[in-house]
Amino acid sequence: TQLLEQSPQFLSIQEGENLTVYCNSSSVFSSLQWYRQEPGEGPVLLVTVVTGGEVKKLKRLTFQFGDARKDSSLHITAAQPGDTGLYLCAGANAGGTSYGKLTFGQGTILTVHP
Amino acid sequence: DAGVIQSPRHEVTEMGQEVTLRCKPISGHNSLFWYRQTMMRGLELLIYFNNNVPIDDSGMPEDRFSAKMPNASFSTLKIQPSEPRDSAVYFCASSLATGQPQHFGDGTRLSIL
């Protein structure tokens, strides 16, 4: 069974601070996706990283995929209250009969205070 | 464009009753996924279909749970009989193909009393 450990579980910061969320596994993934979920809604895809070592930027968000494709990080610069939400990482199975099946981390609940 | 549509949005019922959750995936998407989300266990994959065929149902908790996809535009997740521990938010998601990014519905919040 593939597991993704996400940390920290909870993060409460002030507006303007920087933060990093980590997603680690002992398994190799064909790709890693980051989602953001708000209360009462389903997760919404932020980004997909595919290549080991890949870095993608989405405004103030920077996503990195580990060289071995086993881990990833999400860095937010100058956090704003609108960034508040549940952040989920999800790894896609690299092969076998369940190719593409996503394994989700437990999530990081981020609260940004004005 | 219409996203993934789930119904009902909320369901409250007594234990022992049959519960049916419904999902309409995005048109043209070939893969459909059913998830359950709780505070304790996070987001868990229950079952997924590719081209209407169940591929992996290893996440289905027990025989009380069943899922069908009679055609490309409709799927159901049924719990019979329901138990209080089934209370959770159930999400349906679809993707163009297996391994592609998934688009989630807004979920069904299920409460079993």
Side-chain angles (χ1 to χ4, degrees):
Chain A
T1 304
Q2 294 182 304
L3 293 174
L4 265 175
E5 292 188 6
Q6 202 172 327
S7 63
Q9 253 189 298
F10 302 94
L11 204 47
S12 180
I13 61 172
Q14 293 296 126
E15 182 175 1
E17 292 184 12
N18 301 333
L19 67 111
T20 302
V21 177
Y22 299 93
C23 187
N24 296 297
S25 176
S26 57
S27 303
V28 175
F29 294 102
S30 62
S31 68
L32 201 133
Q33 301 168 17
W34 284 91
Y35 292 80
R36 179 166 167 264
Q37 185 180 13
E38 297 195 39
E41 298 180 5
V44 175
L45 181 72
L46 294 173
V47 78
T48 302
V49 285
V50 179
T51 307
E54 183 176 1
V55 177
K56 278 192 175 178
K57 291 194 174 184
L58 192 65
K59 297 183 181 177
R60 293 176 293 100
L61 278 60
T62 301
F63 304 85
Q64 187 162 6
F65 202 11
D67 290 341
R69 291 187 290 139
K70 293 181 179 181
D71 54 85
S72 182
S73 64
L74 157 62
H75 183 79
I76 302 179
T77 304
Q80 297 177 0
D83 296 329
T84 294
L86 173 66
Y87 289 81
L88 295 158
C89 64
N93 279 22
T97 56
S98 293
Y99 170 73
K101 172 181 170 182
L102 289 184
T103 300
F104 278 85
Q106 285 289 88
T108 296
I109 297 175
L110 171 64
T111 304
V112 183
H113 301 279
Chain B
D1 287 342
V4 175
I5 299 173
Q6 291 187 246
S7 64
R9 286 299 312 273
H10 303 273
E11 173 96 15
V12 180
T13 191
E14 293 185 344
M15 66 177 289
Q17 297 297 307
E18 178 179 293
V19 173
T20 299
L21 311 182
R22 297 173 176 79
C23 176
K24 177 178 167 53
I26 293 174
S27 177
H29 281 194
N30 293 326
S31 298
L32 183 140
F33 307 80
W34 281 102
Y35 292 90
R36 178 172 66 178
Q37 188 176 41
T38 60
M39 283 295 293
M40 289 296 294
R41 300 173 68 92
L43 198 60
E44 302 174 280
L45 177 67
L46 299 177
I47 184 171
Y48 79 94
F49 296 81
N50 205 31
N51 294 318
N52 312 338
V53 176
I55 301 300
D56 186 340
D57 65 353
S58 59
M60 295 286 260
E62 43 196 277
D63 292 345
R64 298 183 297 106
F65 286 69
S66 62
K68 293 182 180 179
M69 192 164 185
N71 57 63
S73 59
F74 183 66
S75 177
T76 59
L77 177 68
K78 189 173 290 187
I79 308 173
Q80 166 64 17
S82 58
E83 296 183 4
R85 59 192 167 123
D86 302 330
S87 298
V89 182
Y90 289 80
F91 286 101
C92 175
S94 70
S95 63
L96 275 171
T98 310
Q100 295 297 308
Q102 295 180 17
H103 300 256
F104 284 77
D106 285 336
T108 295
R109 182 171 294 276
L110 177 64
S111 297
I112 308 296
L113 306 178

